Amino acid sequence: LRTGIPEAVFAEGKDDAELLKIIKSSSNNGIIVTRLTNKRYQQMEEGINQVLTPNMAIEYNQKARILVIRTQEVKKIGKIGLITAGTSDIPVAEETRIVAEESGCEVLKSYDVGVAGIHRLFSQIRLMLDADVEVIVVVAGMEGALPSVVAGLVDVPVVGVPTSVGYGVGEGGFTALYAMLQSCAPGIAVVNIDNGFGAAIFASKIIKSRKRS
Amino acid sequence: LRTGIPEAVFAEGKDDAELLKIIKSSSNNGIIVTRLTNKRYQQMEEGINQVLTPNMAIEYNQKARILVIRTQEVKKIGKIGLITAGTSDIPVAEETRIVAEESGCEVLKSYDVGVAGIHRLFSQIRLMLDADVEVIVVVAGMEGALPSVVAGLVDVPVVGVPTSVGYGVGEGGFTALYAMLQSCAPGIAVVNIDNGFGAAIFASKIIKSRKRS
Amino acid sequence: LRTGIPEAVFAEGKDDAELLKIIKSSSNNGIIVTRLTNKRYQQMEEGINQVLTPNMAIEYNQKARILVIRTQEVKKIGKIGLITAGTSDIPVAEETRIVAEESGCEVLKSYDVGVAGIHRLFSQIRLMLDADVEVIVVVAGMEGALPSVVAGLVDVPVVGVPTSVGYGVGEGGFTALYAMLQSCAPGIAVVNIDNGFGAAIFASKIIKSRKRS
Amino acid sequence: LRTGIPEAVFAEGKDDAELLKIIKSSSNNGIIVTRLTNKRYQQMEEGINQVLTPNMAIEYNQKARILVIRTQEVKKIGKIGLITAGTSDIPVAEETRIVAEESGCEVLKSYDVGVAGIHRLFSQIRLMLDADVEVIVVVAGMEGALPSVVAGLVDVPVVGVPTSVGYGVGEGGFTALYAMLQSCAPGIAVVNIDNGFGAAIFASKIIKSRKRS
Amino acid sequence: LRTGIPEAVFAEGKDDAELLKIIKSSSNNGIIVTRLTNKRYQQMEEGINQVLTPNMAIEYNQKARILVIRTQEVKKIGKIGLITAGTSDIPVAEETRIVAEESGCEVLKSYDVGVAGIHRLFSQIRLMLDADVEVIVVVAGMEGALPSVVAGLVDVPVVGVPTSVGYGVGEGGFTALYAMLQSCAPGIAVVNIDNGFGAAIFASKIIKSRKRS
Amino acid sequence: LRTGIPEAVFAEGKDDAELLKIIKSSSNNGIIVTRLTNKRYQQMEEGINQVLTPNMAIEYNQKARILVIRTQEVKKIGKIGLITAGTSDIPVAEETRIVAEESGCEVLKSYDVGVAGIHRLFSQIRLMLDADVEVIVVVAGMEGALPSVVAGLVDVPVVGVPTSVGYGVGEGGFTALYAMLQSCAPGIAVVNIDNGFGAAIFASKIIKSRKRS
Amino acid sequence: LRTGIPEAVFAEGKDDAELLKIIKSSSNNGIIVTRLTNKRYQQMEEGINQVLTPNMAIEYNQKARILVIRTQEVKKIGKIGLITAGTSDIPVAEETRIVAEESGCEVLKSYDVGVAGIHRLFSQIRLMLDADVEVIVVVAGMEGALPSVVAGLVDVPVVGVPTSVGYGVGEGGFTALYAMLQSCAPGIAVVNIDNGFGAAIFASKIIKSRKRS
Amino acid sequence: LRTGIPEAVFAEGKDDAELLKIIKSSSNNGIIVTRLTNKRYQQMEEGINQVLTPNMAIEYNQKARILVIRTQEVKKIGKIGLITAGTSDIPVAEETRIVAEESGCEVLKSYDVGVAGIHRLFSQIRLMLDADVEVIVVVAGMEGALPSVVAGLVDVPVVGVPTSVGYGVGEGGFTALYAMLQSCAPGIAVVNIDNGFGAAIFASKIIKSRKRS
Ligand SMILES: Nc1ncnc2c1ncn2[C@@H]1O[C@H](COP(=O)(O)O)[C@@H](O)[C@H]1O
Ligand SMILES: Nc1ncnc2c1ncn2[C@@H]1O[C@H](COP(=O)(O)O)[C@@H](O)[C@H]1O
Ligand SMILES: Nc1ncnc2c1ncn2[C@@H]1O[C@H](COP(=O)(O)O)[C@@H](O)[C@H]1O
Ligand SMILES: Nc1ncnc2c1ncn2[C@@H]1O[C@H](COP(=O)(O)O)[C@@H](O)[C@H]1O
Ligand SMILES: [Mg+2]
Ligand SMILES: [Mg+2]
Ligand SMILES: [Mg+2]
Ligand SMILES: [Mg+2]
Ligand SMILES: [Mg+2]
Ligand SMILES: [Mg+2]
Ligand SMILES: [Mg+2]
Ligand SMILES: [Mg+2]
């Protein structure tokens, strides 16, 4: 069983040849390709299959725009919670989910539980705490209020992921980012806008750090 | 009994002579001087007293930095709710309270009920709704999440007042402003950062508009 | 007759499957789909028709990019005024009109009456006031001066809707937004850039709030 | 009689010694020192008097923060209009007035005629046009709507001077600047925020340009 | 012969039907349609021809993206200079040229004379001054230094038109705009980024203002 | 022995009376007052002493601007590392140290080890890892590169604290904040600019979360 | 052998006719066309070939988007180092490489050696210093930390080229630009975002400046 | 004779004790303290004298806000040119001059030669080139056009130093910075706003780099 964070490559800004070369030279632990659109994946699928070795299994997730090339099972290391405010935040959250799972985390997810239906939020968080998640990742765009509310309800650390969902003053995700950074509920740390990948790595480092001691 | 919105003057950016001249020429309905610091009021007190006529009563509020010069009682026209997220938002809220009262509103206030102690917030809002407030003004700095939460709980219109309380990315109040504008709970409209005055005028216009029909 | 604000869903950022699922599970009061482009509506039309139940009537407005799925007539609750500065602000205003009407408001509209032809503006506002509108929604891009002018002429509350119409320093609508927030005519509150939906909900809450008392 | 634009020096960012040296070496046409606070003028008064030659007359204006050192009368070359929206815009307007007068312009001024009292504005503009002003300088902070309104009423060119009067989103004067640049009434050109000096020079160049042909 | 500024309509943000309706109802003086791309003009050409009356002549300029519908010759009122820093600024300058000509200005143009070849600039400006231009319009993107240099060389007023030519920190044209506003050479006023239209109207108002007196 | 995060109050934006009232009503676990300048502490010292009860010990740290009012010893729960890039980052780091210690963390600190002396940085990090810290807090202003470098060297999660140390483009701390968010080394999460307090709470939540399972 | 910096033209913002005209009139030293996309080059290839004279050799580089039209060999004048942090920075670096080579520089390049694999970076820099490069150009996007690290290791001047590689807060390249400007390692100067061309010219001027003395 | 760049410490953000400690532990090459205001220097003078050793000479420059503690003469390594646009840019330029001289550069300075008096600029640059300067540092605020003009006239590399001199849109120095980065004259690289120190170090590295080969 493999342990540890997988190698990853960011597809945007690289041309197909560069991407194939990186995949080909990836280590025995496999590799994760993020921000790979479905259209591009279709185009490259044949090329990718040619550079794969027999021990590699391949899995593409269109919503999360992620391609996972896996060589061995991953050892489970602990649990994280994963929440989105809206439906539109799901692609970013799915990036978190897949990367966290490839890093060995069991992910308890609950999507589209924004502050509107606050009672549904309460019960979902209860389930996560009962399952002993060690960190909760909260993905939200618009006014980015959800991490503040969650952090006011739990003792585990909360990792906020602002998304670029929104328009007008919310375009680009800065409102959500700033709101999370400026939260009056302490115990929140934040990653870059739409950085579902980074949140997953950070969350799994929290869990790994615990396992070590 | 007087009805209607009182004349008002913004003290910043005017020198003492200009201010005194405006006060002197104010109408029979009296005048409200906003953004008048305590220090400045002390300096001008004597001069102001000299331009007052016998029918004028004077009241200075240091926290709200407001001077009210009143000539007659104001007729009550209806009720508004007034909420602040934190202690630091109180000066802006007090500006709202005094201006709204001078416009004939009865103000039910509840200060420092941010999202942290959400149950206290619930009971305060209950009290306001039971008293039939027709609009709730919510004053908040930092991440500005409170109006979203309130608007999710009530049917009356919510007027958000972002404050410049905060530091780092929150400095200047833009995070709070943008969060309120971008709220996923509809039914919120917003005034300028720290504009307690404008929120009071807007809220009393809502009530006056009703009285007319 | 139905009363109350209809359920609404924001189409951008959701894929077709998600949208259909939401429409299907919408309540008996029907649902409004906003920001649904004509092209996308054409693609989804068949799918939408399949999930409709017999009691549902469907109406799509291309200019406003809104799809209304209605189950019963809406009860009229009061009147609002609706003004745009230019021709380019009409799509946002139409979003306001449709959502306000679905919320029970009678909408007196007057489009393309910017500050240039100020006398035409005067007469339009006179008509609205004579008809006893309780709030006026003013939609404007560019330098966003119109709400200031209107608020200087009327006693009813004015809701400003900045639009992203403009270029150079006006691109994105921030100039219009800031001008409205910074208006020297008090009695204006503002919603997000291009948020015709939010203005409609806020305006109808003002009217509903009156009906209650 | 002197004609032509006077030499000018910007006092901020220069120490007293540098300023005195520049004044001393100024040409026979005299010199204008802008942005010289009253406090600083008091400190430097003695020093300045010592470097003056007998043919120089000195005039300090505290509101405009300008020191004029004049050697001869200025020849009148034409008329400009000068309008401010509020009381707080007066210091910037006074900078314009003094520099324009030193450049030979007759200045018809009308202060504090913002969009609120629009009929007073109408009559003031009428007076200016009847007096054959060739350009109107409009000084305004806050939402900066006044130049748009004026430009909609007159045929002469309008020069907008945004001021840093305002708070919240209006702080620093960018809202006023952008609103003027983005005006839907064509025929406006704009100078830097608080740049009363530049507006005066530009306006007098318009008039001088005419005299030449 | 016609005198006076022609009616104009901004094509962006209006759909074809709206545009045709405006053209149809345009006055006897004809109309100018700005920001009409070539592609769109081709699509609308037939429709436009149908709404034209026999006395109307039509002229489309692809570079300037302008359609002129003219009913009578324009009377010449005076001369303006028109300069661009680079080749990429030409489309904006051509918008200025056509609108200024339709307003009765004779335009002396000199394109692509940026600060690099400063001696060519000198001789071009000499030609313009010798021809008695009354105002010079300078169109520049990138660092926007050209108006400062020109204003240091001439006595006539200079109107700066920043363009959105540039990349990195120059993207959108703000660097050019701010540089012009902040110029240490006085006598420059500025219009919005890419606003060739506004510069033309402003320049012709300067000339018309002269003619009146 | 007390466990758990102490109550805390942010002194800025509250007047002395409000602060004393909050201290007085603080729970049996004591209270931490942050952002209390030395000058203000001196003024309030007497008043604070009067509201203290006998079981309370008081400790003021001038560098960190923190007042700790403690009622019982804190139980140690684990270790964190704490690094600053420069000398000027120390006040923010000291805020982290004191709050983390009051939350039960043992803090291994290493100040002024910026990227310049990279070998000293290596040895300090070695010491921390050997001591089994579970999280490293990195405080840095200017270009904010240190967290990236540290995250490239360790497996434990890194919490970045940008500081407002810097000038020019670095003023306000946004460069440091954005650099940390944008880090190409994954495994970093970030708190608000100068928010030493928030980093401490977040880090101790990581450790507490471990203790629970 | 030719010496000196070649003439260059920026293709964006010019239409094909303008570009061909410039190429045709280029001097005997040849010309470099930058920012010429492959697609556009294909379209123009025939036209370009027609305007070429027999002594001209043509070379197009797709990655760098550069077309070189050369008339004679370039004389070698010295060596520069060229480093990129990531794969996505290569197009900008290739622009630097080609322009520097056309200016007579020998370029020692080392791509994709970001701070992650710091030992590989060390050895690459060693090679460059051993080869006596006189300046090192460092191209980096994201958090832009690489120039700081390099400048801490070498005595030669470092020229930073921020790239627009990144997303969220890093979008547009401002984070990288500001980080380089704000570097705590002195000895770095910076060019515009994505300005590989400017870095090449600047670096070759450094070398030429040496040759002269 | 000493060669090489001196140790330097940035006084802002460090308290007096920290500063003294750093000075005390400075190496045998002496130390430069930058951003030390006159007022602060007076306060610390006694303390500094006490930590000095007999071989140390001390020199304080008030305009540049720099304290130089020197232990040995510096060996001359080459010449640089140093130009400011205005009088207000002199403090930043003096920081450059002193640090460059302490690094072994001979500095040919020419202050207050902005684009206005372009002929004086020409003759000053001629003098510098005749003296064989190897790099020219140009310090400018406001619209920052001077480096572009200089770079168009010389073959040596130009280092631009934007200053925070200016107001309105120029406040903070960003206009000058962006204009320099965006210059259409290639061969300019830029340091942070007001960073006279960095420009000096960079310029002397250019010269040192030459000496090495
Ligand atoms: N055009 C719109 N602008 C702003 N908010 C909207 C719009 N349309 C719908 N909404 C709000 O967004 C909520 C739905 O968000 P979602 O679940 O993402 O569809 C609705 O309950 C509305 O309150
Ligand atoms: N208040 C002002 N605002 C803008 N520019 C000014 C002002 N006063 C003087 N100037 C201009 O700045 C130049 C002087 O700059 P300086 O040499 O720095 O004093 C003068 O020639 C004027 O053109
Ligand atoms: N290219 C342009 N840039 C700026 N303003 C324009 C332009 N073209 C037309 N306008 C102005 O915009 C007004 C028309 O606005 P609209 O009614 O939206 O077409 C005209 O009266 C002109 O004053
Ligand atoms: N005025 C200045 N501007 C920019 N960097 C400076 C300045 N003065 C000193 N430095 C740099 O900052 C470093 C010292 O930072 P510190 O350890 O915080 O004093 C020195 O090694 C210099 O490289
Ligand atoms: Mg939802
Ligand atoms: Mg509180
Ligand atoms: Mg219109
Ligand atoms: Mg007024
Ligand atoms: Mg050119
Ligand atoms: Mg240090
Ligand atoms: Mg890489
Ligand atoms: Mg000067």
Side-chain angles (χ1 to χ4, degrees), chain F residues 85-88 112-114 116, chain H residues 14 22:
Chain F
T87 308
S88 318
D112 196 15
V113 290
Chain H
K14 305 198 173 68
I22 293 171

Side-chain angles (χ1 to χ4, degrees), chain D residues 14, chain H residues 85-87 112:
Chain D
K14 306 198 174 65
Chain H
T87 307
D112 197 14

